[in-house]
Amino acid sequence: MKKECPNCHGKGIIVVDYKDCDACGGTGYDNTIELGGHFKGVNNRAKEKFGLDANEDVPCEVCNGKGQVEVKDKCLRCDGTGFINVCGECGKILKSDTKEYCDDCMKIIKDKKDKEQERIEQEKKNNIVYTLDPLCEMSDLKVNNCYHGKISKVTNFGVFVSLNNQVWGLMRTGKSGYKVGQTLNVKVIEIKSRRNEVDLGPVSFKHYTLKKLKKKIERTPIGLLNDDYLGNVIKIQGMASQIQQTSGPTIFTITDDTSVTYVAAFEEAGVRAYPEIELEDMVEVVGEVNKHDGDIQIEAAGMEKLTGEEKDNLYRLIDEALDKKAEVEFNGFLVESDVLDKLKPKMLNAAKRIRRAILDGRTILLRHHADADGICSGVAMEKAVIPVIEEYNPSGDAKYHYFKRSPSKAPFYELEDVVKDLSFALEDLDRHGQKLPLLVMLDNGSTEEDIASLMQAKIFGIEIVIIDHHSPGEVVDGRVAVDDYVDVHVNPYLVGGDSQITAGALASEVACLINPEVKDLIKHLPAIAVTGDHAECDEVDQYIKIAEDLGYTKENLKKIAECTDFEAYFLKFRDGRGIMDTILNVNNHDMHDALIEALYKEYEKRVNTQLKAALPNVKQTLFDNGIYLNIIDVERYAHKFTFPAPGKTCGFVHDKMSKEIGTDKPIVTLGHGPDFAVIRATETVNKDYGFDINQIIIDLLESLPNAGIDGGGHEVAGSIKFIEGFSEEVLTGFVNEVQSMNPN
């Protein structure tokens, strides 16, 4: 505590020395000489002030006649504050300004506090107050035990205290200040078994231990809940897999080792019930089984977070059960393939992770390229995943909450796409309490262009599965650059394959692993996918044979693939679920033929219109190395903002020129605009000359580092972006790369 400094008496300064007065020179008298009336007047006033005779000297007004003045300085004892710190108990001066008591007194005070705390702790041990869980009945009460309750009614003769929704008693108090809703501790005085009444008495102790009194009741597995349980009060234990605050109650989605159910808990309208419960907490819920919108729902009478061994055991039980349910049974692929056999472990892992995410209550977010191959992969996965979601989720609209399919314009995961996905995912987490999704990349995700976006998703803890056939770059020990940012990567290049087994085929195989029941529904989709991507290999022939056995001709497959591309152009970023289902003949079978016929006529019309404008303006060159190069300015010699887009236009020009020259010839077609180039090439250029768009891009980056070059794709089909001002340098560089290639 603070006390006045005895050294300076609270002034903060002290006299440290004396010196001669400067005003009087140390004489003590005013040495003013009378030279005229002005000074004379002053001198007279001074004499009057000191009461002096005319002949007496005047004392100095500065030193009051002493001849010396005081020299003052800051008091060092209190550091100029005027106060010192002393022990608040004994008054001893303390050296530190931060202490309140001296060491001796501090020890005494600490001992007193420790003894008081020991007394309180002992009092808490002696005074046990029980809270009843919602299942406890009158028979669970014991005389002389204390319980925590809430006043439900106040009368002239006492107050009625509810210990839970079905146990209450009367505390006789007469008139008092008690109010309805007030919580208090009471003691059971008497239980009158005949009339089922309980007499209560007040409890006055301040310190006590609150213990939960649980009714011994077996846990009901969620998977057993049905209409037979309606109206019954039960206990469930599980994981809080989703927490959603509505304008009324808080809705908890609880998952156990058998199934999923909803729990409604009401505090007050729009107020979060049980705020201590967070996502993925292990909880115990007691409540009455009811129905809401046709689904089983438990009206919570009590909910608590499990801890310790009980929590760990339940987590282990649920984890092992869900992991077992997520297991995938392998019954063979649709075709025979050494590449698929080598990819089998990765494909099984991908299928299991997708099933496990569904069981964990996570949204499955599909991202796929918006072309025939990408859409076939997305639809195949959609048809497999949605029935599994509906099987393990009680909500009638689960497929809308736990599944999203989003096409991507580029054949890689653009920053624009990941920003949208993260925004929606984090918003769902915040607003609806949904877990972060499992991101499944189809027909994109493998290249270095994907890394920046995948890195962002991974930073937020999103699990990522990639099923792709684009060249991922250099493979070292079965790994590529993007593998540092994904959890499972299925790609033929990782096992020595190439791009000919397309993403549509790979995703269809994984879809059959996830849900074997969709095999007959989707087994024609790989044939459409490989046809749309112009793939050629033994596996492609087998997939087409499967489709032919189902009644599809190669011409049918070509039309379906082209109509898929056509419709995807106008759908932009929408999944077009019903339309694509009809085009791909996985739903609305009676409309399929009519829709394909109508779309294909318009498709041919627009392609022919585009080619009429483009073909006369193709510049063709035959290099000395034997490569044919076709160049078309798609910005100037093609219709804009309509189908086909520049990439497709380049493809159609390439196909047309290849037919004229010969598909077995080394042909490269370059379609360019102000700041982009689209490339198509025959497989002959790749096999005989080592043509690879991705390698050319790397070379251009080294030679033109300031051109802002970006892009990629397959070895013989891809695109390049660059800064418009470097257009001539980039295009010239590309042409030089092609011209300088030598046959193997």
Side-chain angles (χ1 to χ4, degrees), residues 209-250:
T209 300
L210 205 59
K211 282 190 177 182
K212 184 84 172 182
L213 184 62
K214 292 185 178 181
K215 182 79 170 180
K216 291 184 178 180
I217 180 175
E218 292 297 321
R219 176 177 75 97
T220 301
I222 293 174
L224 296 180
L225 297 181
N226 54 35
D227 290 353
D228 294 338
Y229 282 83
L230 293 178
N232 292 343
V233 176
I234 64 165
K235 178 175 76 176
I236 64 170
Q237 291 179 333
M239 178 190 294
S241 54
Q242 183 178 348
I243 305 171
Q244 182 179 4
Q245 183 58 55
T246 70
S247 57
T250 305

Side-chain angles (χ1 to χ4, degrees), residues 236-400:
I236 64 170
Q237 291 179 333
M239 178 190 294
S241 54
Q242 183 178 348
I243 305 171
Q244 182 179 4
Q245 183 58 55
T246 70
S247 57
T250 305
I251 305 299
F252 295 83
T253 302
I254 307 298
T255 303
D256 73 356
D257 54 311
T258 62
S259 189
V260 180
T261 193
Y262 299 115
V263 173
F266 188 80
E267 183 70 27
E268 58 181 277
V271 175
R272 170 79 144 83
Y274 303 105
E276 71 278 8
I277 305 295
E278 299 177 351
L279 274 179
E280 300 191 357
D281 278 345
M282 295 296 161
V283 299
E284 179 177 286
V285 181
V286 175
E288 183 178 327
V289 181
N290 289 302
K291 268 194 170 184
H292 180 74
D293 290 339
D295 300 323
I296 292 289
Q297 178 175 282
I298 298 174
E299 305 294 334
M303 182 186 304
E304 65 176 288
K305 182 191 300 188
L306 298 179
T307 58
E309 186 177 352
E310 193 173 19
K311 178 199 75 172
D312 296 339
N313 291 339
L314 180 60
Y315 180 86
R316 193 178 304 110
L317 175 68
I318 294 174
D319 184 62
E320 290 175 357
L322 296 185
D323 208 55
K324 186 175 181 181
K325 286 183 181 181
E327 286 290 346
V328 176
E329 183 178 353
F330 180 72
N331 292 314
F333 294 118
L334 294 172
V335 299
E336 295 182 1
S337 168
D338 290 339
V339 172
L340 291 181
D341 288 340
K342 293 176 182 177
L343 276 176
K344 176 182 169 183
K346 292 180 180 293
M347 297 171 77
L348 290 171
N349 190 7
K352 181 177 179 179
R353 284 179 179 269
I354 293 170
R355 285 182 58 87
R356 179 59 195 262
I358 295 170
L359 296 172
D360 285 339
R362 285 184 285 157
T363 298
I364 306 299
L365 173 57
L366 291 187
R367 270 284 179 187
H368 59 79
H369 190 203
D371 66 355
D373 184 37
I375 291 171
C376 283
S377 64
V379 170
M381 194 66 68
E382 177 181 293
K383 296 305 172 186
V385 165
I386 287 181
V388 180
I389 290 175
E390 293 178 328
E391 177 185 356
Y392 291 106
N393 197 296
S395 172
D397 55 358
K399 63 183 179 182
Y400 301 107

Side-chain angles (χ1 to χ4, degrees), residues 676-689:
F676 69 90
V678 184
I679 301 100
R680 298 290 184 269
T682 57
E683 288 293 336
T684 304
V685 189
N686 174 248
K687 293 177 181 177
D688 295 347
Y689 292 82

Side-chain angles (χ1 to χ4, degrees), residues 346 440 482 688 715 736:
K346 292 180 180 293
V440 182
V482 299
D688 295 347
E715 290 95 331
N736 291 338

Side-chain angles (χ1 to χ4, degrees), residues 101-131:
Y101 303 98
C102 66
D103 293 341
D104 293 337
C105 292
M106 181 62 76
K107 185 178 183 306
I108 296 172
I109 292 171
K110 184 178 181 302
D111 290 342
K112 287 182 179 179
K113 285 184 177 179
D114 290 344
K115 289 181 180 179
E116 176 63 16
Q117 188 60 38
E118 287 179 10
R119 186 192 67 77
I120 291 173
E121 292 300 323
Q122 187 60 45
E123 188 176 341
K124 285 183 177 180
K125 289 182 181 179
N126 296 336
N127 301 326
I128 305 298
V129 177
Y130 296 96
T131 60

Side-chain angles (χ1 to χ4, degrees), residues 478-499:
R479 289 180 60 82
V480 291
V482 299
D483 288 343
D484 291 335
Y485 309 99
V486 302
D487 298 280
V488 182
H489 186 187
V490 178
N491 191 312
Y493 283 92
L494 301 178
V495 294
D498 56 27
S499 63

